[in-house]
Amino acid sequence: MNTHTTRLTLTRPDDWHLHLRDGAALRSVLPDTARRFARAIIMPNLRPPVVTTAQAADYRARILTALPDALTGQFEPLMTLYLTDTTTPDEITRARESGIVQAIKLYPAGATTHSDAGVTDMTRCGAALAQMEKLDLPLLVHGEVTDPTVDIFDREKIFIDRVLIPLQQRFPGLRIVFEHITTREAVEFVQSSPGRIAATITPHHLMLNRNALFAGGLRPHHYCLPVLKREVHRQALIQAATSGHARFFLGTDSAPHPVSGKESACGCAGIYSAHAAIEFYAEVFEQAGKLDRLEAFASVHGADFYGLPRNTTTISLIRQNWPLPQQLAFGEETLIPLGAGQEAHWKLVED
Ligand code: DOR
Ligand code: ZN
C-alpha cells in the first residue's frame, strides 16, 4: 500500500457485514457500497428472512439487477442464509454446493431487527451446525444473549460464556465470525481463542461510545445493536482493528432505516454508514497513527478468513474535507446517515 499524506491507495476493500434491504430501499443504498467495496456479505434478515438457497439466489439476482449500469460487473454480493430452529442439513449442503452462499447467520430469536424467526435454543440447530462444520461453511453470529434479566450493556460479554464457548467446544472445526464486536471482552476472546474464530468491527463502534446516545438529548440515529459501549471498550476495538491481527476485519453493519422508523417512541436499531464507510475507517486508523494497517483490515484479513481470493483492483482516497450529507433518499422515504452534517476528512476518488 502507498501511504502519503494526501493520497491513499489500497486494494479494493470488502464489507464482511452489510444490510441491503430490498426493493426501492435496496436501489437507494446499493450504489454507496458498490462504489467502495468489491464484495459484501449480505445479511439475510429480510421479511420474510432468506432461509433457503433458492431464496438467496433470487435475492442475489435482485441485488445485481439493482446495480446502476456504471457499477455493473464491479460488485459481487456474497449471500448468507438465516439459521432457524428448522434449518436442515440438506439445506446446508445445498447452500455449500451453490457456490453463492458463503455463510449462515445466527440471530438469537428476539436479539435485534427482524430476528423473530431466529434460533430459540442452540440445541435445536445441532444437525445444521454439524453439517456446516463438516462442509466448512462459516457461522456468523449476532453475539448477544436475549435473556431479559441480563443488562443490555452486558449481553455480548455474557454471550461469550453462555453460547460461544459451548458452541466452540461442541463444534471445534466450525469457522465462526463474531459479528460487530463491541467489547474488550470480545476482543480478548478472539485474540486468545485457539479456535477458528474471527470478528468484524463496525465504523460506528470505532467512532462512538455510549455517550453519543445521549449527547444533549436522546439520539435515535446512534442506536444500534449491539448498543454502543463505554469508552474503554471503544479503545479496545481501535486497538484490535489497528493491531494487524489477522482475525479482525472490516464489517460495516450498515443498516438503513427510514427516518420515521428511527425517530419514534420505539425506534429501530441500525446505523447507516455505507455512504462514507471506508472514509470513516481511514479516519479512525489515521487518528490511531496506523493508516498503514488499514489495507490489511479492510482488504486482506476478511478474504483470507473466508478462503476467497483477495481483490486485484484498487481504490484511492484523498485527504480532503467534505460535508457529509444531512439526509439521503431511501426508497420513497429518507434516512439520516452516520455523521450527518459533519465533515469527513478522507474522500473517495474515482481512479
Ligand atoms: O443495529 C442493528 N441493525 N443491529 C442488527 O443486528 C440488525 C440491524 C438491522 O437489520 O437493522
Ligand atoms: Zn447486522
Side-chain angles (χ1 to χ4, degrees):
M1 187 189 65
N2 163 31
T3 48
H4 187 264
T5 44
T6 58
R7 190 181 179 96
L8 182 61
T9 296
L10 55 154
T11 303
R12 186 169 279 268
D14 301 305
D15 184 350
W16 299 99
H17 185 127
L18 177 67
H19 298 268
L20 281 180
R21 315 306 189 201
D22 212 341
L26 162 66
R27 283 192 291 280
S28 296
V29 297
L30 178 60
D32 281 344
T33 293
R35 268 200 283 274
R36 292 166 176 79
F37 297 97
R39 299 171 290 199
I41 285 277
I42 311 302
M43 288 297 129
N45 64 333
L46 302 181
R47 269 193 200 286
V50 178
V51 295
T52 66
T53 303
Q55 288 171 330
D58 286 348
Y59 185 28
R60 180 174 181 275
R62 295 198 296 282
I63 295 168
L64 291 174
T65 304
L67 268 179
D69 288 348
L71 295 166
T72 300
Q74 278 196 39
F75 177 72
E76 191 185 352
L78 307 173
M79 308 311 291
T80 62
L81 300 190
Y82 188 119
L83 186 66
T84 72
D85 288 351
T86 56
T87 304
T88 62
D90 282 352
E91 195 58 58
I92 299 299
T93 306
R94 270 193 290 280
R96 177 39 115 198
E97 288 175 353
S98 71
I100 60 159
V101 176
Q102 297 296 341
I104 309 293
K105 177 70 188 275
L106 163 67
Y107 287 105
T112 186
T113 309
H114 302 172
S115 65
D116 23 296
V119 172
T120 59
D121 185 330
M122 291 304 284
T123 59
R124 302 235 162 103
C125 51
L129 293 169
Q131 188 70 352
M132 289 167 60
E133 181 183 40
K134 185 170 157 208
L135 302 181
D136 199 17
L137 191 59
L139 178 72
L140 315 182
V141 299
H142 182 107
E144 290 193 285
V145 293
T146 53
D147 178 346
T149 66
V150 173
D151 189 280
I152 189 161
F153 293 100
D154 295 334
R155 287 182 182 182
E156 180 176 284
K157 179 175 74 181
I158 293 197
F159 182 89
I160 296 171
D161 296 324
R162 284 198 197 164
V163 183
L164 213 42
I165 293 173
L167 184 70
Q168 281 189 312
Q169 282 165 352
R170 218 166 133 215
F171 304 101
L174 183 63
R175 236 181 324 159
I176 299 172
V177 183
F178 194 171
E179 298 287 353
H180 43 55
I181 58 167
T182 63
T183 56
R184 183 176 56 189
E185 289 83 0
V187 167
E188 287 168 359
F189 180 72
V190 170
Q191 275 169 346
S192 62
S193 176
R196 306 179 75 198
I197 187 164
T200 53
I201 306 180
T202 76
H204 44 282
H205 291 106
L206 291 169
M207 292 161 65
L208 304 172
N209 66 32
R210 67 191 198 177
N211 284 357
L213 282 165
F214 308 107
L218 192 59
R219 300 287 185 166
H221 299 291
H222 289 158
Y223 176 56
C224 62
L225 287 169
V227 72
L228 297 172
K229 302 295 191 300
R230 285 179 183 277
E231 179 64 9
V232 61
H233 297 293
R234 188 179 79 92
Q235 290 300 332
L237 297 176
I238 293 172
Q239 205 285 324
T242 63
S243 67
H245 192 296
R247 284 188 282 121
F248 296 104
F249 47 84
L250 185 159
T252 62
D253 198 17
S254 180
H257 290 275
V259 67
S260 58
K262 298 284 294 174
E263 297 181 7
S264 154
C266 187
C268 312
I271 294 179
Y272 185 74
S273 60
H275 61 303
I278 191 65
E279 297 90 324
F280 289 136
Y281 284 109
E283 186 155 343
V284 169
F285 276 66
E286 181 179 41
Q287 275 171 12
K290 298 280 170 53
L291 252 190
D292 58 323
R293 297 217 173 128
L294 178 62
E295 185 177 46
F297 176 78
S299 319
V300 174
H301 296 163
D304 290 359
F305 189 79
Y306 272 84
L308 293 168
R310 296 177 186 176
N311 298 317
T312 51
T313 56
T314 60
I315 60 164
S316 294
L317 303 174
I318 53 169
R319 213 184 182 302
Q320 183 182 305
N321 296 346
W322 59 285
L324 289 159
Q326 292 280 7
Q327 58 175 45
L328 294 169
F330 186 53
E332 308 279 275
E333 306 190 64
T334 56
L335 66 79
I336 309 290
L338 181 60
Q342 297 172 15
E343 273 204 333
H345 304 113
W346 287 94
K347 194 167 197 305
L348 182 74
V349 286
E350 308 301 329
D351 277 325

